[in-house]
Amino acid sequence: MSRLCSAGLRPTRQRVDLARLLFRCGNRHVTAEQLHAEAVATGVKVSLATVYNTLNQFRDAGLLREVVVEAGSTWFDTNIDDHHHFFHENSRRLQDICCTKLVLPDLPCLPDGTQVARVDVIIRLRDAD
């Protein structure tokens, strides 16, 4: 509850319940559908639309990071530190890559009046034959 308050979010019952599920066991990656199924399985009465809205509110408040793997495929990451991802295509799972493990020596010249906000790298993996 204090995490929500310090992020400027009112601790409603649904926000508290979803935050408890999200942050109970370290860093993780979830889709709205996965979190909704988890909530329903634990007896939390919440609609999928509310889960989407809450995840977006948590993202906007800086509690989560949004990772778009492909169009229509969005994960929410509880690890908000700088890092990159492996995406396992067969299991549709994200895995963190520490930002110090991937060095990008040169970035392209930036358009005038801009600065880099963040660099997101997703390395797609497929099971070996």
Side-chain angles (χ1 to χ4, degrees):
M1 185 163 9
S2 65
R3 184 180 290 200
L4 296 179
C5 291
S6 21
L9 294 172
R10 194 167 51 88
T12 64
R13 181 189 53 79
Q14 290 174 324
R15 284 183 187 151
V16 169
D17 289 342
L18 292 174
R20 189 174 293 120
L21 291 171
L22 273 171
F23 301 111
R24 69 180 172 192
C25 55
N27 290 327
R28 60 191 295 222
H29 307 95
V30 297
T31 64
E33 292 79 7
Q34 289 169 335
L35 185 59
H36 180 255
E38 201 175 310
V40 169
T42 59
V44 175
K45 294 185 187 313
V46 65
S47 71
L48 181 57
T50 298
V51 172
Y52 270 106
N53 290 337
T54 302
L55 288 170
N56 287 321
Q57 290 164 356
F58 287 2
R59 179 207 56 217
D60 293 346
L63 297 174
L64 295 174
R65 219 172 127 175
E66 183 177 41
V67 181
V68 178
V69 175
E70 55 203 6
S73 184
T74 301
W75 273 256
F76 292 88
D77 190 348
T78 60
N79 180 358
I80 57 173
D81 296 332
D82 284 339
H83 67 286
H84 307 290
H85 293 95
F86 286 122
F87 177 65
H88 298 264
E89 290 184 337
N90 297 85
S91 62
R92 305 210 39 87
R93 180 176 62 88
L94 280 177
Q95 178 182 351
D96 288 346
I97 304 170
C98 177
C99 66
T100 61
K101 300 293 182 188
L102 183 66
V103 178
L104 302 171
D106 293 312
L107 292 176
C109 292
L110 303 177
D112 289 341
T114 65
Q115 63 185 14
V116 174
R118 186 174 81 209
V119 175
D120 293 319
V121 174
I122 297 175
I123 299 173
R124 297 170 150 304
L125 304 174
R126 207 176 273 140
D127 290 348
D129 293 331

